[in-house]
Amino acid sequence: MTLPLTDLPTERMVAEQLAREAGALLQAHLRAGLTVEHKTSADDPVTAADREASSLIMERLSQVFPLDGLLSEEEADNAARLDASRAWIVDPIDGTREYSSGHPDYCVSIGLTVDGEPVLGVVYAPATDELFSGVVGQGVTLNGEPVPAPAQGPAWRVAVSDTEYSRELHAVPLPGMHPSGSIALKLARIAAAQADVTFSMSPRSEWDIAAGHALLRAAGGELRRRDGRPIRYNQRRPSLEQGIIGGQPAALAWLEAQVREHHLPVAHLGLTETDPAWSVLSPGDRAALAEHPGVNIRHAGAQLLALLVVEPGRTVGRAEGDAFHLERLTRDVTRALGPLRAAGHPG
């Protein structure tokens, strides 16, 4: 049975304790020295600290809330979570690249969803000892103190990806941009009135944003897909197919207008005929690629910038478009699927 949101004090207390314990573990690993590995590319690092922090959090959650589903970036996915009304969604280190390079912009992210909706979020930044905590309907606290009211503009603060900024956004005349690493920490800072809005061009995963989304909702804001559709959690495939956009209502309306005005791109992976972006394809491609499971695009509004069609076995069937945007799209697809193979590659 789904608990009323007012019945979450135990969940909030446990999540806060685990976030702090995991943060202490991360700091201990930093002092001892890190060995960094990579998953799909140099942009996708992982450390022993990621795995140990994940084990700590997941084992404790399973002990205290044995009926809840569990999902973590660093654990094998258990499909049993799909049958649970409540699901904990965890990123033991959001911002591993920053963490492993000695930059303070990383965090522990623990979110609780009920029937696909984010309801509780705890985000802890160990380097700055900031604990953001909130429940929808109950507001947000920072280190136990209520956060201030959000800004009223007109000079909005836009938290953007440092990677997207260095590679692309620095050339866009969008006012108020502040690049940083962790998306969970961006969302937490917006919830705490330290920033106003954010967006991404590349897709994100549920564990990146679940806790931050709950915090944002608890603070009166919202987060959605770049095409405007809502984000649902505890899905069979826990990766969003496209970028995100969110913030406080007035700032979010301003940012969505800016995104359209500046024709800022977005990737859409696994494009289907039911997605609004399907209309970006040419009539011929819409006919040829109907029901194909590996259609990936990068587009700006109605303009197609790059098309990447991936066949079974991660073989590239088609790769077309502007070279810069095709490289960006290939990076996004590689992070989602793993290394791609050129056509005719023996595998």
Side-chain angles (χ1 to χ4, degrees):
M1 178 180 177
T2 301
L3 291 175
L5 299 189
T6 54
D7 291 342
L8 297 178
T10 300
E11 287 83 350
R12 188 171 185 171
M13 178 186 68
V14 169
E16 290 176 354
Q17 290 175 343
L18 285 174
R20 286 196 178 277
E21 289 180 31
L25 185 154
L26 302 185
Q27 296 296 85
H29 271 276
L30 278 180
R31 291 191 294 270
L34 293 174
T35 299
V36 181
E37 304 169 22
H38 296 90
K39 299 177 187 175
T40 60
S41 70
D43 289 327
D44 196 11
V46 66
T47 70
D50 293 79
R51 300 185 180 104
E52 289 184 24
S54 181
S55 296
L56 166 71
I57 296 168
M58 299 292 272
E59 288 175 8
R60 189 81 58 80
L61 288 175
S62 67
Q63 292 168 0
V64 181
F65 308 110
L67 300 181
D68 292 354
L70 299 173
L71 175 65
S72 169
E73 180 178 13
E74 306 303 338
E75 307 284 338
D77 195 2
N78 184 345
R81 67 177 171 80
L82 299 173
D83 297 323
S85 171
R86 304 190 344 157
W88 293 91
I89 302 179
V90 173
D91 195 342
I93 310 179
D94 187 56
T96 300
R97 184 164 60 90
E98 286 74 18
Y99 170 70
S100 60
S101 63
H103 193 281
D105 193 20
Y106 64 91
C107 66
V108 180
S109 176
I110 303 175
L112 176 64
T113 66
V114 177
D115 297 331
E117 297 284 345
V119 298
L120 179 153
V122 171
V123 169
Y124 179 56
T128 53
D129 191 30
E130 293 174 287
L131 182 72
F132 304 83
S133 176
V135 173
V136 175
Q138 300 180 27
V140 176
T141 61
L142 172 55
N143 291 340
E145 298 295 327
V147 302
Q152 299 302 311
W156 302 114
R157 298 160 295 178
V158 186
V160 297
S161 159
D162 51 6
T163 300
E164 293 183 350
Y165 184 83
S166 64
R167 292 175 174 168
E168 195 165 354
L169 287 175
H170 68 276
V172 177
L174 176 65
M177 285 192 289
H178 298 275
S180 59
S182 162
I183 181 62
L185 198 48
K186 288 183 185 68
L187 295 172
R189 295 198 186 285
I190 294 170
Q194 298 174 7
D196 302 305
V197 278
T198 189
F199 74 99
S200 75
M201 294 182 285
S202 294
R204 295 293 184 263
S205 296
E206 289 189 17
W207 44 74
D208 297 324
I209 60 174
H213 190 174
L215 288 170
L216 194 51
R217 290 184 70 205
E222 192 47 86
L223 184 71
R224 48 186 174 255
R225 297 168 181 263
R226 279 279 301 273
D227 65 10
R229 290 184 293 176
I231 299 170
R232 300 285 294 175
Y233 293 88
N234 197 28
Q235 300 298 295
R236 185 171 298 277
R237 181 180 178 183
S239 297
L240 277 70
E241 299 86 359
Q242 58 186 275
I244 58 172
I245 187 166
Q248 297 295 343
L252 179 54
W254 169 84
L255 180 60
E256 288 182 316
Q258 291 290 312
V259 165
R260 291 190 297 270
E261 178 181 337
H262 294 293
H263 305 288
L264 296 179
V266 63
H268 193 127
L269 311 186
L271 188 69
T272 72
E273 295 171 87
T274 63
D275 295 315
W278 185 258
S279 64
V280 174
L281 297 175
S282 69
D285 278 341
R286 291 200 294 269
L289 297 173
E291 300 184 5
H292 194 296
V295 180
N296 309 282
I297 68 170
R298 198 171 205 244
H299 69 102
Q303 180 185 8
L304 180 67
L305 302 173
L307 169 68
L308 187 66
V309 180
V310 180
E311 305 295 342
R314 301 200 303 273
T315 299
V316 175
R318 287 174 61 185
E320 302 171 3
D322 174 86
F324 174 84
H325 293 291
L326 185 58
E327 188 276 332
R328 296 285 83 219
L329 178 59
T330 301
R331 174 181 177 270
D332 289 337
V333 174
T334 298
R335 290 200 66 168
L337 300 181
L340 304 178
R341 300 184 179 94
H345 192 285

